[in-house]
Amino acid sequence: MSCASLVQRPCKSLFPTSSYRSCLTHVHALYFQLLEHCIESTSLREGKIVHQYLLKNSNTIAGNNNNSAIVLDKITRLYVSCNELELARRVFGSIPIPERKSNVILWNQMIRAYAWKGPFDRAIDLYYEMIESGVTPTKFTYPFVLKACSGLQAVEDGRKIHDHARGLGLESDVYISTALVDFYTKCECLIEAREVFDNMSERDVVTWNAMIAGSSLHGLYGDIIRLVVQMQEAGLSPNSSTVVAVLPAIGEANGLSQGKTVHGYCVRRGIHSDVIVATGLLNLYGKCRCLVYASRIFDRMWVKNEVTWSAIIGAYVSCDFASEALQLYDQMLLRDGICPSPVILGTALRACTKLTDLRRGKRLHSYIVKSESGFVLMNGKAKEALDIFQEMQLSGIEPDLATVVAFLPACSHLAALKHGACSHCYSVVCGFTTDTSVWMEFAIVEISGEKSLDSMVLDVEISGEANK
């Protein structure tokens, strides 16, 4: 037999049909396992390689619609697990309609992903698409889509979805009812939230926490105390989430006695060292002007986040220890290296006001303007950065080196040669270019863009030297 005749012979004569099918089955199983491994390990890179291979060999690997749907299901779940929701949505939409309609679990996974990661409106749109496709939601669908509704404050959508759940007889499910309570309280519909809560035949700790947190959010101190008492009478013990929900309302009501009771409960339960609980207790004592307890809690905390520092600085300012508050602010910057939030900056400014410390206040003002200028510039808003810089000068605050260097790229974006040259002149006069000539001149060169500033820069430097 010649080699030519062997090549021309059909492949299936070399591989019997049964063996060929067995080989394909083995290939299917292999790629399913690879995809499962990528999903479990959230290996996006490896998963994309598998996806790419499957796309190139779709006819061989897919085999039939059933195999194709299984492969696409796994690829969708891969992208969901890796937070690549747009890719997941694209693959999900390519699943054959009959198989997609019967896969309610995948619908739920997609809705949940959008409800947690956003955009929230995609979760709601996907829910309506699910209904229009004839797919019946389950009790796992509604908590996710209601979470998206609360995130958007989409009251009408939430009410419509509530009607859908009621029509399916799922309203009495504890998870769905809890999601409804959470949705209504966050959307300031307390009457509806209370109605759902009162009609529940079964309530777990999460349900009670949702109702307590909603009441706390709206400052209903009396309702909170009654709910906590009723919760304990029902045989359920408040957990750390309950405590965190209760403490702000107690602080606002200046309920020091109740606050100490809650603190004692936290110690007995061993949850007082949790950073969120400890911060809540610190904030409570600060609002009740009990600075000794607030400081004691702060000093014993191993982990301090931005909210913790904000609470302790605010406590010192509220108790008229403004100088100590600014010392804590400096300690936060130097020792912990935490970047101050707008809340912390506002509190520090209040301390400066109490001390009538204009110099320190101007420094904080300068920092705020620089931060805002840098933020708008990083977001491509060069014109706004230029306006803020001019506003800073008009307010009497002298730009420092960092401000000027942050300002120069805005001139570059706008091709504002005049502003750039003036800034360079100011830098020469202030001596900024002496110490940082390399990166300062680099920033100046960046201004020029397609136009040359050589002659302007030369004139500015000469005039600057002449003024020394």
Side-chain angles (χ1 to χ4, degrees):
M1 183 184 296
S2 66
C3 292
S5 62
L6 181 60
V7 171
Q8 292 173 0
R9 185 170 295 181
C11 291
K12 62 182 180 180
S13 64
L14 295 176
F15 299 100
T17 303
S18 59
S19 299
Y20 179 72
R21 288 175 178 172
S22 176
C23 181
L24 277 181
T25 303
H26 177 72
V27 171
H28 293 155
L30 174 63
Y31 278 95
F32 292 166
Q33 289 175 7
L34 284 172
L35 286 171
E36 281 295 341
H37 172 75
C38 292
I39 292 167
E40 292 173 4
S41 59
T42 61
S43 303
L44 180 61
R45 181 176 173 274
E46 290 78 3
K48 282 186 173 180
I49 293 172
V50 175
H51 186 192
Q52 185 180 26
Y53 182 84
L54 292 174
L55 287 173
K56 289 181 178 178
N57 300 274
S58 57
N59 293 332
T60 304
I61 299 299
N64 55 56
N65 282 342
N66 185 48
N67 282 332
S68 174
I70 295 172
V71 169
L72 293 172
D73 172 280
K74 291 187 181 296
I75 294 172
T76 302
R77 290 197 291 120
L78 164 71
Y79 289 135
V80 168
S81 67
C82 295
N83 295 323
E84 292 286 344
L85 299 190
E86 291 309 305
L87 288 174
R89 183 70 179 89
R90 198 179 307 164
V91 177
F92 177 76
S94 67
I95 297 175
I97 294 175
E99 285 77 10
R100 190 172 1 135
K101 288 178 66 174
S102 62
N103 196 345
V104 67
I105 294 175
L106 195 58
W107 283 93
N108 287 344
Q109 288 178 330
M110 288 294 301
I111 293 171
R112 179 182 62 182
Y114 281 123
W116 280 100
K117 300 294 181 181
F120 297 139
D121 57 327
R122 298 283 182 87
I124 300 173
D125 292 343
L126 204 57
Y127 169 79
Y128 286 128
E129 183 182 333
M130 180 183 188
I131 298 294
E132 291 168 2
S133 299
V135 181
T136 303
T138 65
K139 66 178 183 179
F140 301 107
T141 310
Y142 289 100
F144 304 142
V145 71
L146 286 168
K147 176 179 171 59
C149 290
S150 64
L152 290 173
Q153 299 283 294
V155 178
E156 292 307 315
D157 284 310
R159 284 174 174 159
K160 190 182 297 185
I161 291 166
H162 184 182
D163 290 339
H164 291 173
R166 186 186 293 116
L168 293 172
L170 296 174
E171 184 187 21
S172 60
D173 180 84
V174 64
Y175 298 109
I176 294 176
S177 295
T178 300
L180 286 166
V181 170
D182 182 69
F183 160 71
Y184 282 126
T185 55
K186 287 180 178 176
C187 292
E188 301 184 3
C189 302
L190 293 183
I191 295 175
E192 289 96 328
R194 188 73 206 205
E195 183 180 342
V196 173
F197 181 81
D198 290 339
N199 289 333
M200 293 178 68
S201 58
E202 177 189 357
R203 305 185 189 104
D204 59 13
V205 174
V206 180
T207 308
W208 284 96
N209 286 348
M211 195 67 228
I212 291 168
S215 301
S216 179
L217 188 65
H218 296 89
L220 303 176
Y221 177 70
D223 288 354
I224 292 167
I225 300 301
R226 282 191 292 273
L227 283 166
V228 172
V229 172
Q230 291 169 5
M231 176 182 181
Q232 292 175 303
E233 289 174 347
L236 297 172
S237 299
N239 58 16
S240 59
S241 298
T242 317
V243 171
V244 170
V246 165
L247 287 174
I250 297 176
E252 290 296 333
N254 200 27
L256 181 59
S257 177
Q258 290 85 353
K260 286 182 176 181
T261 302
V262 174
H263 190 181
Y265 175 84
C266 293
V267 172
R268 290 192 300 273
R269 296 280 294 184
I271 59 175
H272 62 291
S273 58
D274 178 87
V275 64
I276 300 176
V277 173
T279 300
L281 289 167
L282 188 162
N283 187 52
L284 161 75
Y285 286 124
K287 288 181 177 178
C288 294
R289 302 181 68 83
C290 191
L291 198 55
V292 174
Y293 281 13
S295 299
R296 192 177 298 167
I297 292 172
F298 180 78
D299 291 338
R300 291 178 178 176
M301 292 178 67
W302 288 99
V303 178
K304 301 178 178 75
N305 58 24
E306 180 186 296
V307 181
T308 307
W309 282 101
S310 177
I312 191 63
I313 293 170
Y316 271 87
V317 173
S318 298
C319 295
D320 297 324
F321 288 92
S323 179
E324 289 80 358
L326 290 176
Q327 289 175 16
L328 283 167
Y329 175 83
D330 292 336
Q331 182 182 333
M332 177 194 73
L333 294 177
L334 297 174
R335 195 184 73 181
D336 283 32
I338 292 178
C339 184
S341 66
V343 175
I344 295 176
L345 289 168
T347 307
L349 284 172
R350 281 173 51 209
C352 293
T353 302
K354 286 179 179 286
L355 295 171
T356 62
D357 189 342
L358 182 60
R359 180 173 171 273
R360 183 67 180 265
K362 282 187 173 183
R363 281 169 53 194
L364 283 169
H365 187 192
S366 175
Y367 177 87
I368 292 168
V369 172
K370 283 189 291 184
S371 300
E372 185 178 357
S373 176
F375 174 77
V376 297
L377 185 56
M378 283 189 294
N379 285 275
K381 300 178 181 178
K383 181 63 170 65
E384 290 185 33
L386 187 61
D387 293 340
I388 292 170
F389 183 83
Q390 291 174 331
E391 182 184 340
M392 177 181 178
Q393 289 180 302
L394 291 173
S395 66
I397 299 174
E398 295 184 357
D400 61 9
L401 176 61
T403 310
V404 173
V405 173
F407 169 70
L408 287 172
C411 300
S412 174
H413 283 293
L414 298 172
L417 304 183
K418 182 179 178 181
H419 289 292
C422 290
S423 296
H424 185 215
C425 179
Y426 177 83
S427 302
V428 172
V429 172
C430 293
F432 293 157
T433 55
T434 303
D435 297 328
T436 55
S437 57
V438 176
W439 53 283
M440 192 68 187
E441 293 302 328
F442 175 79
I444 292 168
V445 170
E446 186 185 355
I447 300 172
S448 60
E450 295 179 358
K451 301 178 182 180
S452 175
L453 271 179
D454 291 343
S455 59
M456 294 184 70
V457 169
L458 181 61
D459 292 339
V460 168
E461 288 183 341
I462 291 173
S463 62
E465 292 296 328
N467 289 330
K468 289 186 178 180

